[in-house]
Amino acid sequence: MDKKEKYINYIVEDMIKNTEIDYEQGKIKYPSTLPFPSYFFPSFTSFSTILFYSPLPSFSKYIIERYGIHDNDVDNTWEIYKGKIKELIDNG
């Protein structure tokens, strides 16, 4: 694993540890620092929501500014995040 992959994994793990999963209600609460518009991602959203959306421009801006990654790494970071959330849900 190269440095870039390690850093992207660090970013994803940081976001995951700040993501709440309510297994009983089948809902996810994203990290409060992620700037998703409330009309798009309410405080809690259903499990299926995360699996169907591409990263929003606000997500892209947030991780570029917070973690200093390049634009071309945003989609990869989002896909890894979604995959790990899906694993947590499937194993929860």
Side-chain angles (χ1 to χ4, degrees):
M1 184 179 299
D2 67 12
K3 287 182 180 181
K4 183 166 121 175
E5 288 176 294
K6 285 182 183 178
Y7 191 58
I8 288 173
N9 284 329
Y10 163 79
I11 292 168
V12 170
E13 291 303 319
D14 190 50
M15 290 188 315
I16 286 181
K17 73 180 174 186
N18 293 302
T19 300
E20 295 176 42
I21 300 175
D22 185 333
Y23 294 99
E24 287 182 23
Q25 293 185 16
K27 298 194 179 229
I28 299 168
K29 183 176 183 186
Y30 299 94
S32 59
T33 55
L34 290 184
F36 294 124
S38 59
Y39 65 86
F40 193 81
F41 284 113
S43 181
F44 275 91
T45 190
S46 68
F47 284 168
S48 61
T49 302
I50 191 173
L51 305 177
F52 295 107
Y53 290 103
S54 299
L56 294 171
S58 57
F59 172 83
S60 301
K61 182 179 179 192
Y62 169 76
I63 65 169
I64 289 168
E65 289 177 357
R66 179 172 170 101
Y67 300 104
I69 68 169
H70 299 282
D71 281 338
N72 56 346
D73 294 323
V74 170
D75 287 337
N76 185 35
T77 304
W78 177 253
E79 291 303 317
I80 294 169
Y81 176 73
K82 284 191 332 182
K84 296 228 180 210
I85 291 294
K86 185 177 182 328
E87 283 178 29
L88 289 171
I89 292 168
D90 290 346
N91 295 324

